[in-house]
Amino acid sequence: MGIETYFQLLTDAEKKHFPEKLFFGGDEDLLYEKRRVSVVGSRASSKEGLQRAKIISKTLVKHDIIVVSGLAKGIDTMAHQTAIDSGGKTIAVLGTPLNVPYPKENATLLEKIKKEHLAISQFPEGFPTQPKNFPIRNRTMALISDATIIIEATDKSGTRHQGWEALRLGREVYILENVIHDSNVTWAKEMLDYGAQVLSRENVDEIFTHIPYLTSKFEDAF
């Protein structure tokens, strides 16, 4: 399926937020098969946050779900690497052109993803790397994902952009308990009022089993 066909199958709300162009590096079939879940969080992640990202990403792979993230430092890097190490598949949605790793330390990881998984960008080669690219990238990440999981965040974290975009698009949003209980993060509790759910060790397997195929564009053959 080409990207033009995919675009025609989107809902009106999805089309409104879909990028004018997308550039791909890797296996484009990952955009059309299985369920996809974004794992997002702080660049300045804590040890606990990294461990949670690792556990969540491993569990997603166990449930045959593709791990989506943004190739940033911290939580994103852990999500991608864990998916790869666990034998799963991952999609990196970039805030830079496909030939520009950001951060530079992720150059090797990006090349691996482009060869064996999938990297997506809406920014052509030569496009400048600037702060406003990343919230735009988060919208695209939310759009191609059936759900978004927020692992760790601050009150000013860019992670909140993805949470709100996902809710706007009618996607599932799951927020880890530690974020909800953090008194310095006010928007997480607000998201619960708009349909986000709390993700805990007790309900993780049940939730991952029942994440809907919200982005699937295929008619059931039967």
Side-chain angles (χ1 to χ4, degrees):
M1 181 189 291
I3 197 65
E4 294 83 5
T5 306
Y6 186 83
F7 179 78
Q8 293 305 318
L9 294 173
L10 297 174
T11 66
D12 289 341
E14 290 169 344
K15 285 179 180 178
K16 181 180 176 183
H17 295 289
F18 201 76
E20 288 186 16
K21 288 187 178 181
L22 280 180
F23 305 94
F24 300 102
D27 184 3
E28 293 181 31
D29 285 346
L30 295 183
L31 192 60
Y32 311 120
E33 62 185 30
K34 300 184 181 181
R35 291 174 295 171
R36 289 172 297 281
V37 171
S38 286
V39 178
V40 296
S42 175
R43 286 180 171 87
S45 49
S46 66
K47 287 182 181 179
E48 293 81 8
L50 291 173
Q51 186 61 25
R52 290 177 183 122
K54 189 173 185 177
I55 292 167
I56 291 295
S57 300
K58 273 187 177 180
T59 309
L60 287 169
V61 171
K62 184 182 81 172
H63 285 271
D64 200 28
I65 295 171
I66 297 167
V67 176
V68 182
S69 202
L71 204 78
K73 288 181 182 179
I75 299 299
D76 290 17
T77 298
M78 178 60 80
H80 291 305
Q81 195 63 60
T82 301
I84 293 168
D85 293 345
S86 302
K89 289 293 182 179
T90 191
I91 298 174
V93 185
L94 309 182
T96 58
L98 285 175
N99 64 330
V100 180
Y102 187 86
K104 290 182 180 179
E105 306 92 271
N106 278 348
T108 302
L109 178 59
L110 176 57
E111 287 308 307
K112 185 173 184 65
I113 290 172
K114 287 196 288 188
K115 286 178 182 175
E116 301 173 15
H117 302 267
L118 178 63
I120 299 174
S121 175
Q122 61 205 91
F123 305 104
E125 288 193 17
F127 197 90
T129 299
Q130 45 197 356
K132 68 179 182 180
N133 293 11
F134 296 94
I136 294 170
R137 174 274 312 270
N138 283 110
R139 177 187 296 162
T140 301
M141 206 190 313
L143 182 62
I144 68 161
S145 299
D146 295 293
T148 289
I149 298 173
I150 296 174
I151 302 287
E152 190 174 54
T154 63
D155 212 33
K156 295 182 179 180
S157 173
T159 302
R160 73 188 187 281
H161 293 295
Q162 176 136 356
W164 287 119
E165 290 292 351
L167 290 170
R168 226 172 260 131
L169 288 162
R171 308 291 192 246
E172 300 289 329
V173 174
Y174 304 104
I175 307 173
L176 263 63
E177 280 184 304
N178 55 287
V179 180
I180 297 296
H181 295 148
D182 187 341
S183 59
N184 295 316
V185 181
T186 57
W187 50 262
K189 297 179 187 67
E190 291 174 18
M191 284 185 185
L192 297 181
D193 294 333
Y194 287 88
Q197 300 176 54
V198 179
L199 186 64
S200 66
R201 286 182 180 271
E202 288 70 33
N203 68 9
V204 64
D205 278 311
E206 181 183 355
I207 282 178
F208 286 1
T209 299
H210 295 103
I211 287 175
Y213 290 79
L214 294 176
T215 63
S216 177
K217 301 303 170 188
F218 295 103
E219 294 289 338
D220 192 330
F222 303 98

